[in-house]
Amino acid sequence: MGGIGAPFTAWISPFRGGRGGVCSSNCNHILRPSSPITDLSVKSIDDLTEAEASTELHRLAAAIAQADIAYHQNDAPEITDADYDALRRRNEAIEQRFPQLVLVGGPSAAVGAAPAEGFAKVRHGIPMLSLGNAFDDADVADFVNRGRKYFEKEFLRDPGFQLYFTAEPKIDGLSASLRYENGVFVRGATRGDGAVGEDITENLKTIKNIPQQLKGSDWPAMIEIRGEVYMSHAEFQRLKAHSAKFGVQEFVNPRNTAAGSLRQKNPEITASRNLDFFAYAWGISEDEAGLAQPPAATQTEAVQKFKEWGFVTTPLMIRTESKDDLLAHYTMIEAQRATLGYDIDGMVYKLDDLELQRRWGFVARAPRWAIAHKFPAERATTILAGIDIKVGRTGALTPVARLAPVTVGGVVVENATLHNEDYIAGLSNDGAPIRNGVDLRIGDTVIVQRAGDVIPQIVDVVLDKRPADAVLFVFPEICPVCGSPAIREINEKTGKVDSKRRCTGELVCPAQAIEKLKHFVARDAMDIDGLGDRQVSQFYEAGRITRPADIFALKARDERAIKKLKDVDGFGATSVKKLFDAIDARREPELDRFIYALGIRHVGETTAALLAKTFISMDAFRRVAIEATHAEGDKHAIFPQIGGIGDTVRASVMAFFANDRNIQALDDLLAEVSPRDYIVTVTADSVVAGKTVVFTGSLERMTRMEAKAMAERLGAKVAGSISAQTDILVVGPGAGSKLKKAEELGVEVISEDEWFKRVEQ
Ligand SMILES: [Zn+2]
């Protein structure tokens, strides 16, 4: 199911006399050209026979149920909100015309889907309801006029009578109900199907702006506060950046991410996601005797109370008796939409007076006294002119759609993300079909969507408009930036193929180079003083350093260069000399640090140490890895199984050494540096064995990490601070408080030279 091109997306307005195939003026929906009359999904409701209506109601019920499950239970909507609304609206209109055909347990009976397995069920004291929808200004006028008509007598009786409405943004998040007993938060639940939700108390407790204890004292003895849990754009971007760096999960939009975060089995994950909450409604509200006690007399006052009790409430709510004011507020908020910092998908208008709300009452599943006014979907149709491949700093190849420029929600869009090659092929990350499994071809007419400040996406393709010469896109298996093979890894834990194809040119790919170089020189890797992120970027952009080997050739090249480094802004003779010295001081790195510094994917410090320990020398590691890479059949026979190193890491090491460009880059580097063989033996009879040693000040002959490793190899214990247990303090220049303390405690203090003299005896 799903999407434009599927039959039910054609828009038929039952309230406009069923002008099948005619869209309202602000509608972006694509119509199927000359749909056959036998296709019930596009047949005007006025023309449906009873038998056809029955068939159509069953079809709609199935489609809505499937969409509900995707949205509520799996947090992975399959169709757009606009398409969903169209389904619901058509269903309602047919039910209106054929009330005798309304299905028991059909779409009009339920709100959302029943709770998913895995969470305890919570029955809401008062059901959590959905709102009816207004789709245009006329629907809003109808809503206000219905209210005026309903309370006609009040207007006649009292010339000063006014019917006030509130207008507030509709937050695009997840509804939750929070139960407070005597001011204490005791239980929280999702909306679920409206009657029964899921107990997510522990997860809700991690949300900072949900008070555990209400402020003040004028709250009802028991109240269910209702509102929306959402994720801010800033938090969404932070998570996306994080996942881009580390990897696996892809976040689609803030709403789904909030939903996924809120329904984590582990509340610590929820806590790490920084969700927010707006309070705007309530369910049960009772005094100590269990009698109904509304929080206030009006909606406006109730929300004010929530604020006093410690909740965050929307600052964008107004109260007015004028329909024009409601619409003006709608227009104003819609214009601010992209800058609010969180997603909203429309406005909600409510009758302000609670007593009048009660009198006006409910119809089916929705209150009569409230209505949601959705914003038009921010989508447009355009042509997919081409697909470019962008290589990210982790080596991931991301396809980007080049589009014929089109305005979407007030912004000109020329590019859209296509996520990965499966997405182009019409498959989701888990291999299930998306867009009915239809692939994207160059020349296709596509639907582009912008939601908030998320990168525009292609959400659908209009198959009917596919030209005969549309070009199938073949995803490159070679990195377009460096020419290295690009591969899809297999996730060791899930056994699944990674959705991202990655360039294996780790040391040679310019797209990855700066990050790799920064990693190479970092403190925990080669630890080159004076070569930080800023200098690496500067040298890279100036073309002085593009690969690790260039770092060690820097001095020699500078001697030959016309424009000397010391004459470059930000450098001087002294700092250049210091930098060259720091580089020279690292020409014999420890093997484990060197392997780690290479930045082979998945090879962290621990793995690097395991590799160093196994192979002892860089030469052996290099030789065996290359041999195993080129071996026919069982590579394991050559490259030994190493405890603590799994298949993903092995595959990654193999991929690194299978790339001749990496080997060239490595060999160039090895022409400059000579990693020391890994020493595994601990010398138990050294002069410092069993002693507790502290290093302080800026050591000149070794890095702090080298000092630590050296001392440990000699059987000493290295501590971070001075205590009565300290035996030796090794000081470099600039030693401060530690030296003072050592002297106070009578700890032996020696210089770095003295240290070497002792341990080298
Ligand atoms: Zn590359």
Side-chain angles (χ1 to χ4, degrees):
M1 61 178 283
I4 305 298
F8 49 73
T9 51
W11 185 271
I12 296 166
S13 172
F15 301 128
R16 291 184 189 81
R19 292 172 302 169
V22 180
C23 260
S24 61
S25 59
N26 62 348
C27 171
N28 295 322
H29 294 84
I30 307 307
L31 298 174
R32 286 161 62 86
S34 60
S35 301
I37 201 70
T38 46
D39 186 349
L40 293 180
S41 63
V42 293
K43 193 166 178 183
S44 164
I45 290 166
D46 289 345
D47 298 338
L48 289 175
T49 66
E50 188 166 336
E52 284 172 340
S54 173
T55 308
E56 180 65 350
L57 282 176
H58 278 95
R59 185 191 69 78
L60 288 165
I64 290 168
Q66 188 177 337
D68 279 343
I69 286 167
Y71 186 88
H72 291 286
Q73 289 186 3
N74 304 338
D75 303 320
E78 290 171 351
I79 60 172
T80 67
D81 290 355
D83 291 343
Y84 180 78
D85 289 339
L87 289 178
R88 278 238 173 235
R89 214 160 142 85
R90 182 165 172 83
N91 186 72
E92 275 169 34
I94 297 175
E95 285 183 349
Q96 223 167 52
R97 207 186 137 208
F98 300 98
Q100 71 277 21
L101 297 180
V102 172
L103 298 170
V104 177
S108 56
V111 179
E117 295 302 313
F119 288 93
K121 313 272 185 279
V122 175
R123 182 162 289 279
H124 300 299
I126 290 178
M128 294 180 77
L129 300 159
S130 275
L131 300 181
N133 283 317
F135 292 91
D136 55 24
D137 293 1
D139 290 347
V140 178
D142 277 354
F143 167 68
V144 171
N145 289 336
R146 281 200 302 276
R148 294 211 171 118
K149 192 149 193 306
Y150 192 85
F151 295 104
E152 211 170 21
K153 278 192 199 133
E154 307 296 332
F155 283 100
L156 290 172
R157 208 171 338 191
D158 174 5
F161 181 81
Q162 289 283 23
L163 206 52
Y164 284 102
F165 294 91
T166 59
E168 61 193 295
K170 188 170 179 298
I171 314 298
D172 195 11
L174 266 97
S175 306
S177 182
L178 319 171
R179 185 182 172 99
Y180 287 82
E181 292 177 5
N182 299 312
V184 177
F185 176 48
V186 295
R187 199 174 61 209
T190 61
R191 176 207 290 267
D193 63 3
V196 179
E198 297 158 344
D199 187 336
I200 50 164
T201 310
E202 293 310 312
N203 294 349
L204 288 167
K205 277 184 179 167
T206 69
I207 298 178
K208 287 185 238 20
N209 55 20
I210 290 180
Q212 303 298 306
Q213 163 77 54
L214 300 181
K215 287 188 197 160
S217 58
D218 61 340
W219 19 262
M222 207 284 282
I223 185 165
E224 289 173 351
I225 299 287
R226 288 170 180 181
E228 205 82 355
V229 176
Y230 68 95
M231 179 173 282
S232 69
H233 290 163
E235 177 64 4
F236 180 68
Q237 294 305 343
R238 185 189 71 82
L239 271 183
K240 265 189 88 103
H242 183 83
S243 84
K245 203 163 163 194
F246 296 102
V248 240
Q249 194 171 0
E250 285 199 32
F251 297 107
V252 180
N253 62 44
R255 190 211 166 270
N256 291 329
T257 311
S261 306
L262 197 56
R263 294 166 76 249
Q264 288 289 334
K265 295 289 156 55
N266 179 359
E268 280 173 28
I269 297 176
T270 314
S272 72
R273 298 274 174 91
N274 296 318
L275 298 170
D276 286 297
F277 181 80
F278 274 127
Y280 55 73
W282 62 96
I284 285 187
S285 183
E286 291 173 350
D287 64 11
E288 276 157 20
L291 299 172
Q293 182 198 352
T298 64
Q299 173 71 23
T300 316
E301 288 165 16
V303 170
Q304 182 55 39
K305 284 277 179 232
F306 296 165
K307 201 173 167 188
E308 289 167 23
W309 296 341
F311 290 98
V312 177
T313 57
T314 177
L316 303 172
M317 185 159 113
I318 59 157
R319 175 179 179 267
T320 176
E321 81 293 349
S322 150
K323 172 208 71 175
D324 292 339
D325 284 355
L326 295 179
L327 294 175
H329 197 52
Y330 172 96
T331 307
M332 191 190 87
I333 299 293
E334 191 189 5
Q336 292 179 15
R337 192 176 176 184
T339 58
L340 289 178
Y342 49 87
D343 283 343
I344 59 174
D345 56 359
M347 298 293 288
V348 174
Y349 311 128
K350 291 177 185 167
L351 187 61
D352 191 37
D353 188 297
L354 303 191
E355 174 55 21
L356 298 181
Q357 283 185 4
R358 192 191 59 75
R359 282 169 58 189
W360 200 359
F362 290 81
V363 57
R365 62 192 181 93
R368 284 201 171 92
W369 43 264
I371 199 162
H373 188 186
K374 296 269 186 88
F375 294 134
E378 294 185 279
R379 28 168 63 192
T381 306
T382 187
I383 304 291
L384 177 60
I387 295 175
D388 298 328
I389 301 291
K390 216 178 89 215
V391 183
R393 58 190 182 79
T394 61
L397 272 57
T398 302
V400 177
R402 221 176 329 114
L403 304 168
V406 63
T407 303
V408 189
V411 173
V412 176
V413 172
E414 291 176 82
N415 295 297
T417 180
L418 291 169
H419 306 290
N420 53 56
E421 58 194 286
D422 287 345
Y423 190 84
I424 296 173
L427 297 171
S428 72
N429 282 353
D430 52 15
I434 49 173
R435 302 185 302 265
N436 286 326
V438 176
D439 65 342
L440 295 174
R441 299 187 188 178
I442 295 159
D444 267 341
T445 296
V446 293
I447 314 292
V448 186
Q449 177 169 299
R450 253 185 84 239
D453 58 359
V454 177
I455 304 165
Q457 301 188 47
I458 288 182
V459 292
D460 221 330
V461 55
V462 187
L463 258 192
D464 293 341
K465 293 196 179 173
R466 171 167 288 174
D469 60 352
V471 180
L472 257 168
F473 182 71
V474 180
F475 204 92
E477 295 180 8
I478 295 290
C479 170
V481 178
C482 75
S484 293
I487 59 164
R488 293 179 73 172
E489 292 175 350
I490 293 171
N491 185 306
E492 196 175 321
K493 292 198 186 86
T494 61
K496 279 187 195 162
V497 177
D498 194 347
S499 58
K500 292 275 188 199
R501 188 174 285 278
R502 284 174 207 277
C503 167
T504 56
E506 311 208 5
L507 292 182
V508 290
C509 184
Q512 305 175 60
I514 290 189
E515 295 306 319
K516 292 285 176 200
L517 285 167
K518 285 177 183 171
H519 170 80
F520 185 81
V521 301
R523 261 195 110 68
D524 48 2
M526 292 290 278
D527 191 21
I528 298 177
D529 271 350
L531 203 52
D533 286 0
R534 195 172 53 84
Q535 290 82 8
V536 167
S537 300
Q538 194 181 342
F539 286 145
Y540 186 82
E541 272 143 32
R544 288 177 190 271
I545 295 177
T546 58
R547 305 178 313 158
D550 298 339
I551 295 169
F552 295 92
L554 196 60
K555 188 178 169 182
R557 284 187 196 162
D558 198 53
E559 280 161 6
R560 295 194 301 268
I562 297 162
K563 188 170 183 189
K564 306 283 188 204
L565 197 53
K566 65 181 169 59
D567 303 323
V568 173
D569 271 358
F571 291 94
T574 318
S575 57
V576 167
K577 181 177 185 308
K578 260 175 112 174
L579 174 62
F580 290 162
D581 288 350
I583 292 169
D584 282 342
R586 300 291 178 266
R587 284 186 189 267
E588 290 183 11
E590 289 178 321
L591 181 58
D592 51 341
R593 286 164 79 86
F594 181 77
I595 293 174
Y596 172 67
L598 292 178
I600 301 169
R601 199 166 140 73
H602 299 306
V603 176
E605 280 177 284
T606 310
T607 304
L610 287 170
L611 289 167
K613 204 170 154 185
T614 306
F615 292 101
I616 309 291
S617 73
M618 187 59 214
D619 183 54
F621 175 44
R622 177 189 171 284
R623 184 169 37 76
V624 173
I626 292 172
E627 211 177 303
T629 302
H630 294 290
E632 302 283 327
D634 187 14
K635 299 181 191 318
H636 295 270
I638 300 164
F639 195 91
Q641 294 276 15
I642 302 168
I645 294 185
D647 291 343
T648 305
V649 178
R650 287 179 72 86
S652 182
V653 171
M654 294 299 141
F656 180 92
F657 283 98
N659 187 329
D660 290 342
R661 292 149 186 265
N662 283 339
I663 292 175
Q664 188 58 55
L666 174 64
D667 289 351
D668 291 349
L669 177 59
L670 288 172
E672 300 279 352
V673 302
S674 312
R676 277 177 277 160
D677 288 356
Y678 193 81
I679 302 162
V680 277
T681 45
V682 169
T683 323
D685 57 351
S686 81
V687 287
V688 294
K691 301 260 170 78
T692 299
V693 184
V694 175
F695 293 92
T696 190
S698 54
L699 302 177
E700 290 170 328
R701 296 177 59 179
M702 54 190 169
T703 68
R704 197 61 66 79
M705 277 184 69
E706 282 168 338
K708 184 170 187 279
M710 183 181 186
E712 282 171 356
R713 274 201 307 275
L714 294 166
K717 197 170 152 250
V718 178
S721 60
I722 301 285
S723 72
Q725 275 72 51
T726 310
D727 296 303
I728 303 170
L729 175 70
V730 182
V731 294
S737 61
K738 279 183 190 158
L739 177 56
K740 224 173 124 192
K741 193 161 180 205
E743 282 163 353
E744 280 166 21
L745 290 171
V747 172
E748 185 186 8
V749 178
I750 62 170
S751 69
E752 200 180 351
D753 286 341
E754 175 63 26
W755 164 262
F756 275 99
K757 213 184 284 172
R758 280 192 200 183
V759 299
E760 281 166 1
Q761 274 171 3

